[in-house]
Structure formats: structure tokens, C-alpha cells
Amino acid sequence: MNRTILVTGGAGFIGSALVRHLIRHTSARVVNVDSLTYAGTLGSLADVVDSPRYVWERVDIRDRPALKDVFDRHGPNAVFHLAAESHVDRSIDGPAAFVDTNLVGTFNLLQAAREAWSADAGHARLQNKNAAHPFRFIHVSTDEVFGSLGETGAFTADSPYRPNSPYAASKAGADHLARAWYHTYGFPVIVTNCSNNFGPYQFPEKLIPHMILCAIEGRDLPVYGKGANVRDWIFVEDHVRGLVRALEAGRPGMAYLFGGDAQRRNLDVVRAICELLDGMSPAPDGRGHRERIRFVADRPGHDERYAIDATDTREELGWSPEGTFEEHLRTTVAWYVSREDWWGPIRSGAYRGERLGMLR
């Protein structure tokens, strides 16, 4: 029996990478549940949309009856939950949407999935522990739930939760709901937390694509504060491979952390982008792109540093990131330089590069 895998947020950045990976590298049938908010685009799925194993359901996870209908019709035996409001700056401007989607939406999905898993008639295959593919619910989260690190140390699965932004708090709450559904109902949940993702198809409100496009468009490159904040970067394809391993080999009730072993200051990331673009897309005036770096007012409550210790995940799942940050950054920059067909419509509509997250 082949799996039917439901992916929420499958038209988003990580979600679409996961859908593409599942269609290309597995025999699974994939049901993409995505309501197409501002950050979702079906263009990210153009390579797999014609596959007979791919289905899109335009459903909002805040709509519980619609979710129940999706489970009734498709009978998935695995769920990857990625649908979320995910940008810290937007959570500062409008936290309500983050509570509604990340908390209430996660609750709705957990309930719909648990009801399908535990139902007697019509869904017995979902609860058959001896089936080739026992049911799993993979709840995909972020390292931001753990708060900010100082100059040393790294997050592990045992790190305490200390979220500092409305976004991180909403994701922390969703993590706690997922764990509660495992401990209370025996529902087979696996939680994953990842470091900062990057790669092709990322919505340009995030640091790396935002800087690439600002440079291509000849704009200033706004760096928050002094650019000293440190992030651990993971290439999206490495993360997606990890998620699939969590489905294949992960144990319900466990948490697995995925990091790229690539801690970099934000300023150093921006400078690296500038150097790549000096060769791939030189400024018309002949100036180096680094000359347009501008330091701007910092984000309120900006976490100082994130880092992940993925030792346990590597050992248990047999997973590790492949390639270097520099190699993947080159790939990413080259993709944006060549894919104005993808980002051009976004730049002219959903997000024009304006500053978000300023207290008013």
C-alpha cells in the first residue's frame, strides 16, 4: 500500500519543496492543503502539478468542517503540518492572524486528523499498527520557540521554550498542542524544529531573497541594527530530506531538530550575497552592491543568536545536511537572478519590499 500524504501549506516555501520532493522521489500520493494566502503561490509547484499523484485542496486550516471533509475524501495516513503565518515582522504588525492560524488552525488540524485516525468505520487502515505505513503526524516548527542564545551554546530537544516574538509564541503554543495530543490521546505526533531555511522559491520578505531582489532592483540593502545577529542556516532541500526521514524512521512523541551547521552574522550573509551578485548581476552604474548596504533601526525584540545541535537527529534518523552554505547560497542567488518570472508578480503585488514590523 502506497502512502497518501497530506501536506498543509504545500504552496509555501518549505511546503512546496516538500511536495516536489515527495512527487519526485517517492511513490506517495500527495494532497496539498493550502488556502493560498499572500505567501503561497502555485507557481512553486509548476514542475509537479500535472502528476496524477498530486491533488490540491484550497482549504483554510481554520475551517474545521472543510478539513474533516478532506480527511474523509482522501484518507491520508501521514500528515506534514507546515501551514503557518511565519514572518516575525508581520507578527509584530498583526499578531491576531498568527494566533488564529498557528494556534487555532493547528488545533483544528490535530482534531480532524485524530478523529480520522481513531474512527472505526472507513478509516480502520489508519490505526492498523501492523500496516506497511502506520499513521504519523509530523508537526513542523522552528528553533525560534527556544528564544535567544548568548555567545555560546546551541538548542537541543531539551531546551526550554522562551519565545520572544508573537510569531515564536504562536509556534510554541502549537508545539505544545501537538505534544499534548500525543501524551493525552496517544496520537502519533512527531515534532520537528528547524533553523533558518533558505533556497529557491522563498517569499521575498525573508532576509536572503529580500536582499537579492533589492540588489537586483538597485535599491538600498537595509540591514537591521548592526547586522550582528547570528542565524544557523539550512538549505531547504536538506530540511525536506530530514522531514521525510522523520516520517520514515522517527518515533511518535519525539522531537527532532534540523540545523545546517552554518552560523553566520546577518551582515556577513548580506555581504556574501553582494559578492555573488557583483558577478551574476552587476549594478548598471558599475558600483559594487556592498556600497548600498544601509543600517536601519533594529527589529523590536530581535533575538541575538540561534544555533542548533542536531547530533541526536543525525544519529537516530541517519540524516545530515549536504554541501556547504556557500554552495547553496550561490545556487539560491543564481536562481533568483534567472527567475523573474516567479518573483516579478510578487514584487508587483503581494510584497513590494516595504519595511514591516515597526512599532507604531
Side-chain angles (χ1 to χ4, degrees):
M1 180 185 72
N2 289 329
R3 283 189 187 272
T4 294
I5 299 176
L6 187 150
V7 179
T8 70
F13 171 44
I14 303 172
S16 65
L18 177 60
V19 170
R20 294 193 302 270
H21 180 94
L22 291 170
I23 292 296
R24 290 169 179 166
H25 300 292
T26 77
S27 60
R29 181 170 176 266
V30 180
V31 180
N32 171 17
V33 172
D34 197 301
S35 63
L36 288 191
T37 61
Y38 76 92
T41 172
L42 295 179
S44 302
L45 296 164
D47 293 346
V48 299
V49 70
D50 293 328
S51 170
R53 294 186 289 112
Y54 170 77
V55 178
W56 171 45
E57 295 282 359
R58 188 166 190 167
V59 169
D60 192 317
I61 62 170
R62 296 173 296 181
D63 187 342
R64 190 168 163 192
L67 283 176
K68 181 181 184 304
D69 179 64
V70 168
F71 276 89
D72 288 344
R73 286 187 290 107
H74 294 290
N77 48 16
V79 175
F80 284 100
H81 177 34
L82 296 102
E85 294 287 345
S86 67
H87 189 39
V88 173
D89 287 357
R90 289 184 186 269
S91 80
I92 295 169
D93 289 339
F98 288 72
V99 173
D100 288 344
T101 298
N102 299 354
L103 277 171
V104 178
T106 296
F107 164 76
N108 288 338
L109 185 67
L110 285 165
Q111 283 293 82
R114 185 175 73 87
E115 289 168 4
W117 169 71
S118 61
D120 292 329
H123 293 284
R125 66 187 184 282
L126 299 183
Q127 56 186 343
N128 182 0
K129 294 182 174 19
N130 298 316
H133 300 298
F135 189 89
R136 294 290 183 267
F137 186 106
I138 314 297
H139 174 73
V140 182
S141 189
T142 171
D143 61 355
E144 297 191 37
V145 298
F146 303 122
S148 182
L149 292 166
E151 295 182 359
T152 62
F155 299 132
T156 70
D158 295 324
S159 294
Y161 274 54
R162 293 191 177 110
N164 290 322
S165 70
Y167 161 64
S170 68
K171 289 297 290 184
D175 288 9
H176 293 322
L177 286 174
R179 287 194 175 93
W181 259 239
Y182 169 75
H183 287 287
T184 302
Y185 304 109
F187 185 53
V189 171
I190 294 169
V191 174
T192 68
N193 300 86
C194 66
S195 58
N196 280 39
N197 282 236
F198 73 103
Y201 297 104
Q202 188 171 29
F203 194 79
E205 66 190 359
K206 301 298 177 68
L207 177 68
I208 287 178
H210 182 52
M211 293 299 160
I212 294 170
L213 297 191
C214 282
I216 290 174
E217 295 164 344
R219 303 187 187 194
D220 286 345
L221 308 182
V223 175
Y224 291 177
K226 296 180 179 179
N229 303 77
V230 174
R231 299 294 180 261
D232 177 11
W233 294 94
I234 184 171
F235 191 54
V236 66
E237 299 295 339
D238 285 332
H239 182 202
V240 163
R241 285 190 302 101
L243 294 177
V244 174
R245 284 300 298 157
L247 173 62
E248 294 171 344
R251 291 179 291 153
M254 295 295 291
Y256 299 100
L257 272 59
F258 297 104
D261 291 334
Q263 293 182 55
R264 300 288 189 280
R265 295 190 310 161
N266 287 347
L267 180 59
D268 294 332
V269 172
V270 176
R271 286 172 172 169
I273 290 170
C274 290
E275 291 177 8
L276 289 168
L277 284 171
D278 284 343
M280 296 182 192
S281 182
D285 59 8
R287 299 165 59 199
H289 288 291
R290 283 177 61 162
E291 295 182 43
R292 289 204 303 279
I293 292 176
R294 300 289 183 270
F295 296 104
V296 299
D298 205 353
R299 166 193 289 165
H302 200 173
D303 287 340
E304 179 181 346
R305 186 174 72 89
Y306 303 144
I308 278 181
D309 178 353
T311 302
D312 291 345
T313 298
R314 289 170 179 254
E315 293 177 352
E316 181 165 344
L317 301 184
W319 166 92
S320 62
E322 298 176 352
T324 67
F325 173 78
E326 287 72 23
E327 291 168 345
H328 294 316
L329 186 63
R330 176 177 288 276
T331 296
T332 301
V333 171
W335 187 89
Y336 280 96
V337 168
S338 66
R339 291 301 306 270
E340 187 173 355
D341 64 304
W342 183 85
W343 56 260
I346 295 173
R347 247 356 199 193
S348 63
Y351 180 63
R352 295 181 169 87
E354 63 274 15
R355 174 74 191 266
L356 302 168
M358 295 296 291
L359 294 177
R360 296 178 177 85

